[in-house]
Amino acid sequence: MKKLLTFAVLLFSFESSLFAAQNLIELAPNEVLISDFRQERHLNGFKNPIKSKGYVVLTPKKGLVWETKEPFQTRLIINDRGITQFVQGQNTLYLPTSKFPGLMKLQSVFEASLQGDWLLLEERFGVTPVYVDDKWMLSFSADNVGKDIQFKEIKITGARFVENVEIRRPNGDLDVIYFFGHKIKKSSSRLDVNGAEK
Amino acid sequence: MRKTGVSFWVIAIFIACLIIALKSTSGLPLETNILALLPKPNEEARWVQMAKELMNEKVTGHVLAIVSHSDLSKAHQAADKLSKALKDKNFINSSVENTNKLSPDLIGKILFPFRLGLLSSQDRALLHTGAVDRISENAQAQISSPLGFVSSNLIKNDPYLLFPRYLSALQDAQSKTEMINGYPFIKNKNRFYLMVGMKLEGDPFSQSFQEEFVPYFKQTAAKIMLEVSDLEIKKTGAIFYAEQTASDAQGEATLIGLISLVAILVLTFLVFRDMQPIGLSLLAISVGVLAGTAASLIFFEKIHLFSLIFGAGLMGISVDYAFHYCCQRFSPNHITSVTRLKNILRGLTLGLISSVVGFLMLAWAPFPGLRQIAIFSATGLTMSYMTVVLIFPLLDRAKSLDMGEKILMLIKFHHDFWSRPDLNIARWGGGAILLGLFIVGFTSFKAEDDIRKLQSLPDNLRNEELLIRELTGRHDATQFFLISGNTQEEVLIREEALALELERLVEKHALSGYFSVSSFVPSIKRQKENRVLARELLLGMNLKKHLENMGAHPQFGYDEHKLNYLSLEQVRDRSVFPFIDFLQLARDNQNFIHLLSLRGVNDVGALSSLADKFSKVKFVDPTQDISLILADYRIRALSLFSVACLLIFGFMSFFYGTKGAFRVMSPPLIAVVVTPFVIAAFGGIFTFFSAMALILVFALGMDYSLFCAESLKSHMNISLLANGLSALSTIFAFGMLALSEMYAVHSFGVTIFVGIVLAFGLAPIARKHQ
């Protein structure tokens, strides 16, 4: 029985690793992953959800660029230096990682989730995906990621790629982001994280 | 009479020893900073001087160590170990500076109630142009942005998101630093660089503190590096520069002094074949240097290294006196010590008076360096003179000597060059060569006063500092603005007006940025204006419209009736922005001074002229200021020297008549005028320190001329021998200075070398037609 149990554990581990490898979206050094998104922010005190849409670019190990096209042109850059936001070309927000170390963790969560790097998520945050049919779901709590970012829970679901992210805050605010139209493209200065900052 | 003189001499020596002993309880107070040679500023710039001193104190009183390792925890442990070791020895009082102990959340909570008065410069500019819609759109765009960094709690109390934009504008977008347990650190190429800022407990310019701190720091760092493989500790700070410069300079001065001394001893022994002249020379030198040092310490807190080096030139003059006395042994008749003195007394006295008159003229200059040199030299020379006149005859028991054949031949050559009619062509040839060099030098003559070229910093420390700057990304300009006022509010208002102009210059790329107190805490006036702007343009109907556009609750808004203004005291008391303490140089009653630091300065002229538009605002460019002052004082020193020459000419005319005075003074004057151009002909540059050297050339050259002029025909060989010995000893001593690493000292040495050769060579002109 003991041997059977050990075999089962080993098999599960092997299957899990295999699955992880299968889900990992391999990107060449000069490639980026682009995905369109639609966001709904359900904020306390607001009659309707605040809606926006655009696209997000993932450059592995460099960071993320969130380009919002509607209702306003904004750009949000997340890299190892921190978070920088530009509204209609003007720098409106800068949160350095030196002051907000939790931002690095948030960047890791999104980068690894978008790229399907389950091994990294498990290693860093102790989070493993739960599978239902051909879909998976990841759930992060403040205990996993750290309390210096104000959120209660982050839930990420997807199949081949990430399809949906829900961010729930302690005050009841809820952000839902839908991802679609994923594609892998050659990197360019327009899409690159460093280029986007200029 | 002689007894009284000797008693006075003994008492003077005793007092000099006492003064030096009292002032040197913790080592000789030596000043190596070249800035200390500069004059105190005039009345209206006194606050600027005070601010500079305060800033200097803040900057020089700190050291920065960078501890690096590929493992962050190992670097952290090493940093802790280093700062603990230095703290335990009471060398430093804190190891972590300028770090914000408060969390961003807490800072936000403290400042949030004042948000209507704290507008970012962007929002303020938008409000000034009436662009309320842009502010509303910016807020909506931020709210709709992905990952929702703006929560409904914030929007409820700040629907325009004015506060996050104010806070964000304060962040240094260029900073690459992160924090670990109070240490800022940077990650670069898989290594972690921890910055350990330390405030020194002692005076970084005190020699005794340097001698204790620097070796201990180096030993501790080396020990820690040995314990942990791959660990590196780099350092920077004024104390390291001061210690190494002082030690290099002392080493150089010791070497030069030693060679000078050995050369003098060998020369004396070769000529006199007796030890007594050596003893007498050393006595005259020692008494001169002792008296000069004591006199300088009475008038000044520290002796500048340059005064000591220049003062060492005294050796040339005082040895000159001793040589002239001892050379009387070669008199054709056997004479007593009193007669020996009598033979040279007139030349000796005239030489002393001319030198002292010249040096006292320099003491008039409002220039601490010049004054110190003048006091050192005048006092030292007078005491050397007194030693020769009062003490030498008492000690001298030597018999007369015959001048050897070889010595006589050498002197004869010099004598014949100027006296034999058949050597006219040689004299004209020599004159033509000198004129040629003068013309070539005249066409390529260049004066240089750039302090960066005159004072070289130790390469090893400079490299460490450059590496640290590279890592930390700190490219702060050396230039800055000083703003003063009678109240804190007045300074902040002035600073804001200046910042407005600076913003325009940033747009024109005259500079890349600046760092000021008012960007963090605006003046009350500015906060009131902001509130008025916000109330008139953002609140009321506009706020209602903004909330409707967003679909937000109509009760969202600002507690506009709370009239709270953020003060610097509140910020200071709660250590919200501890780093702005550095910018507040003075905050006493009616004396407030702020520093506005600059980054990436490209157009110094634009910044300098900007300061002229404001009262109580001063643009400070330390390097440029010093260079300008050196240039100014090079001209002033030469002007004073010219006046001194006129005075000496008047004095000499009294003894020799106008023509005679002209003849006696022409050899040193020709040497002084021609030397800079001869040096220029060989590519040398004329500096303030060359000008100072010319003064010494003149003083020594006057002695050579006077002894030639005063010498009896039968004693001419004796005078030329004494002059030759004096010139050689001076050349040996200062020829070595030309090898100095520091360009200032080098140019001093080269000028002395060329000048003394010329003054000695031309000296017989002084008696030619007598």
Side-chain angles (χ1 to χ4, degrees), chain B residues 457-471:
Chain B
L457 297 170
D459 281 346
N460 55 337
L461 293 176
R462 187 87 191 116
N463 290 342
E464 272 190 76
E465 188 190 331
L466 285 175
L467 190 80
I468 289 172
R469 274 178 179 259
E470 191 73 25
L471 278 169

Side-chain angles (χ1 to χ4, degrees), chain A residues 41 45 47 81 94 98 169 173, chain B residues 143 148 150 152 168 173 177 553:
Chain A
R41 299 202 67 198
K47 282 181 212 158
R81 280 180 44 215
Y94 174 62
S98 57
R169 298 181 186 277
D173 287 352
Chain B
I143 292 165
V150 180
S152 58
S168 185
T177 53
H553 197 284

Side-chain angles (χ1 to χ4, degrees), chain B residues 500-636:
Chain B
L500 207 65
E501 298 288 332
L502 284 173
E503 288 292 345
R504 287 189 193 124
L505 289 179
V506 169
E507 281 170 24
K508 289 179 186 170
H509 306 291
L511 73 160
S512 64
Y514 61 92
F515 196 61
S516 69
V517 178
S518 61
S519 1
F520 293 87
V521 183
S523 65
I524 305 293
K525 180 176 172 258
R526 167 65 59 92
Q527 291 183 54
K528 279 182 183 168
E529 279 171 12
N530 287 347
R531 275 180 167 272
V532 171
L533 273 174
R535 194 166 52 239
E536 286 177 359
L537 297 165
L538 294 177
L539 306 184
M541 286 307 290
N542 282 336
L543 175 64
K544 197 178 166 196
K545 192 177 143 198
H546 173 63
L547 294 172
E548 275 173 12
N549 285 346
M550 292 195 297
H553 197 284
Q555 292 301 311
F556 284 8
Y558 298 86
D559 42 1
E560 57 187 293
H561 302 298
K562 279 190 183 173
L563 275 174
N564 288 334
Y565 297 107
L566 181 66
S567 70
L568 265 173
E569 285 72 26
Q570 285 166 304
V571 168
R572 206 165 37 235
D573 291 347
R574 305 187 70 174
S575 293
V576 179
F577 304 123
F579 40 85
I580 62 172
D581 269 2
F582 181 80
L583 302 176
Q584 291 179 280
L585 295 176
R587 43 172 191 256
D588 307 328
N589 282 340
Q590 298 206 320
N591 184 26
F592 294 84
I593 305 171
H594 284 187
L595 182 144
L596 188 145
S597 74
L598 304 167
R599 276 209 182 126
V601 171
N602 300 316
D603 186 351
V604 176
L607 292 162
S608 175
S609 52
L610 185 59
D612 299 336
K613 290 185 186 171
F614 300 91
S615 67
K616 294 188 173 182
V617 171
K618 169 89 178 157
F619 175 69
V620 184
D621 183 352
T623 319
Q624 182 69 6
D625 286 356
I626 295 163
S627 302
L628 285 174
I629 289 170
L630 279 182
D632 182 24
Y633 278 87
R634 174 169 52 79
I635 293 160
R636 282 196 196 200

Side-chain angles (χ1 to χ4, degrees), chain B residues 593-750:
Chain B
I593 305 171
H594 284 187
L595 182 144
L596 188 145
S597 74
L598 304 167
R599 276 209 182 126
V601 171
N602 300 316
D603 186 351
V604 176
L607 292 162
S608 175
S609 52
L610 185 59
D612 299 336
K613 290 185 186 171
F614 300 91
S615 67
K616 294 188 173 182
V617 171
K618 169 89 178 157
F619 175 69
V620 184
D621 183 352
T623 319
Q624 182 69 6
D625 286 356
I626 295 163
S627 302
L628 285 174
I629 289 170
L630 279 182
D632 182 24
Y633 278 87
R634 174 169 52 79
I635 293 160
R636 282 196 196 200
L638 287 177
S639 310
L640 283 169
F641 169 64
S642 307
V643 176
C645 283
L646 285 175
L647 274 175
I648 295 167
F649 184 79
F651 176 72
M652 290 296 157
S653 302
F654 185 74
F655 288 95
Y656 298 105
T658 314
K659 272 189 181 176
F662 185 74
R663 194 182 58 246
V664 168
M665 288 181 71
S666 54
L669 278 178
I670 291 171
V672 163
V673 172
V674 171
T675 297
F677 298 104
V678 170
I679 294 168
F682 291 100
I685 293 165
F686 192 70
T687 69
F688 160 76
F689 303 94
S690 316
M692 295 303 298
L694 286 180
I695 294 168
L696 193 63
V697 166
F698 182 79
L700 286 160
M702 268 308 286
D703 278 355
Y704 303 156
S705 282
L706 279 167
F707 281 109
C708 281
E710 287 295 316
S711 177
L712 298 170
K713 198 174 179 185
S714 57
H715 283 66
M716 190 56 188
N717 284 347
I718 297 171
S719 295
L720 284 179
L721 173 65
N723 275 355
L725 288 174
S726 167
L728 272 176
S729 61
T730 310
I731 286 166
F732 268 119
F734 291 106
M736 290 300 295
L737 283 186
L739 300 174
S740 171
E741 288 284 312
M742 205 186 280
Y743 194 82
V745 180
H746 162 82
S747 69
F748 183 82
V750 169

Side-chain angles (χ1 to χ4, degrees), chain B residues 1-18:
Chain B
M1 182 67 184
R2 181 172 290 275
K3 273 186 183 174
T4 318
V6 172
S7 309
F8 175 79
W9 184 87
V10 172
I11 292 167
I13 299 286
F14 176 75
I15 292 172
C17 289
L18 199 69

Side-chain angles (χ1 to χ4, degrees), chain B residues 351-368:
Chain B
L352 174 78
I353 294 172
S354 63
S355 298
V356 171
V357 166
F359 285 129
L360 288 182
M361 198 65 221
L362 282 186
W364 265 36
F367 199 171

Side-chain angles (χ1 to χ4, degrees), chain B residues 436-481:
Chain B
L437 286 172
F438 179 85
I439 293 168
V440 171
F442 190 80
T443 53
S444 57
F445 182 80
K446 202 178 155 194
E448 178 67 80
D449 300 290
D450 192 334
I451 190 74
R452 285 165 294 200
K453 291 178 187 163
L454 299 180
Q455 191 179 31
S456 55
L457 297 170
D459 281 346
N460 55 337
L461 293 176
R462 187 87 191 116
N463 290 342
E464 272 190 76
E465 188 190 331
L466 285 175
L467 190 80
I468 289 172
R469 274 178 179 259
E470 191 73 25
L471 278 169
T472 54
R474 289 181 64 174
H475 297 291
D476 300 350
T478 49
Q479 301 93 342
F480 53 90
F481 279 99

